[in-house]
Amino acid sequence: MRRATVSKSELMAGGDDEVFRTFIHDFLAFSARVDQCRAGFGDRLGISGIAYTTLISVAHLQGEEGVGVSRVAEHLHLSGAFVTIEVSKLVKAGLIHKRANQEDRRRVLLTVTPKARKLLEQLVEIQAPVNDALFDCLSASEFRLLASMMARLVACGDKAVALMNFLTAPSAPATSETARKTSRRR
């Protein structure tokens, strides 16, 4: 008999992890399909999938004044440094305009350029039916429930990654040295 990969009773329907494992594999398969669609949207614009996600996030968040890198990073659950790199690529491609924030000259405000706005408007012809197909099997109430659960799952994912990093971190140097000395004595 194999050991369960989870221990929370809420995740062990029927007393084992079979439903959990199936869920994880289905979730990964769906995530890969979403990523393929994102990459396709990016290809259509001549940029990578993550650059597309960054661009459309700026377009949705910029409002009248523009949006800061930190707000985009927070929205995408990415680091500010990573978003800065992607924004630089988009600036170079002529898709994002970057200007100093008048209230805090150390920060920048991002807006999409007219070129980007036109490309995003044209993309909707493909984007809308693809996004509709991605979630075609869900009712409105199921989609609202999934959306609220996904927001909570991101926070759980952050905790899981932190735990993984902690549990897999190399031993402290003193502990490693002690282990070497102990093994030499044997």
Side-chain angles (χ1 to χ4, degrees):
M1 186 170 146
R2 66 179 177 77
R3 291 183 61 181
T5 57
V6 292
S7 59
K8 284 186 66 159
S9 60
E10 297 88 345
L11 305 177
M12 298 180 69
D16 63 36
D17 69 345
E18 186 175 335
V19 172
F20 174 79
R21 298 296 335 144
T22 299
F23 166 77
I24 290 295
H25 296 138
D26 289 344
F27 181 81
L28 290 170
F30 180 71
S31 178
R33 275 36 169 218
V34 171
D35 198 47
Q36 287 174 315
C37 292
R38 175 175 79 165
F41 296 151
D43 284 346
R44 187 81 175 179
L45 301 180
I47 57 178
S48 69
I50 188 61
Y52 157 75
T53 300
T54 304
L55 178 65
I56 198 157
S57 295
V58 170
H60 286 281
L61 297 171
Q62 72 182 21
E64 295 294 318
E65 298 296 316
V67 62
V69 169
S70 60
R71 176 65 186 110
V72 175
E74 176 186 305
H75 175 75
L76 295 176
H77 306 282
L78 296 170
S79 73
F82 184 82
V83 170
T84 297
I85 291 167
E86 290 303 314
V87 164
S88 293
K89 294 174 191 175
L90 292 166
V91 167
K92 187 175 181 179
L95 299 174
I96 286 186
H97 177 71
K98 185 167 66 169
R99 64 180 167 74
N101 182 336
Q102 296 301 319
E103 294 174 16
D104 183 348
R105 304 287 293 166
R106 296 168 296 170
R107 299 184 185 268
V108 297
L109 290 173
L110 310 171
T111 54
V112 296
T113 64
K115 174 184 174 182
R117 198 171 300 113
K118 181 179 177 184
L119 288 171
L120 289 171
E121 191 61 39
Q122 292 169 349
L123 184 63
V124 171
E125 294 173 16
I126 295 166
Q127 187 183 34
V130 169
N131 284 337
D132 289 349
L134 271 173
F135 298 96
D136 190 49
C137 62
L138 299 179
S139 69
S141 62
E142 288 172 326
F143 179 73
R144 284 190 303 274
L145 180 61
L146 177 63
S148 74
M149 287 190 298
M150 193 59 61
R152 293 190 340 249
L153 285 170
V154 170
C156 289
D158 289 342
K159 285 174 34 180
V161 168
L163 179 60
M164 171 69 86
N165 291 338
F166 174 76
L167 294 175
T168 60
S171 300
T175 306
S176 297
E177 184 62 29
T178 303
R180 277 193 294 263
K181 287 178 183 177
T182 304
S183 66
R184 282 188 223 143
R185 289 184 201 144
R186 291 185 194 157

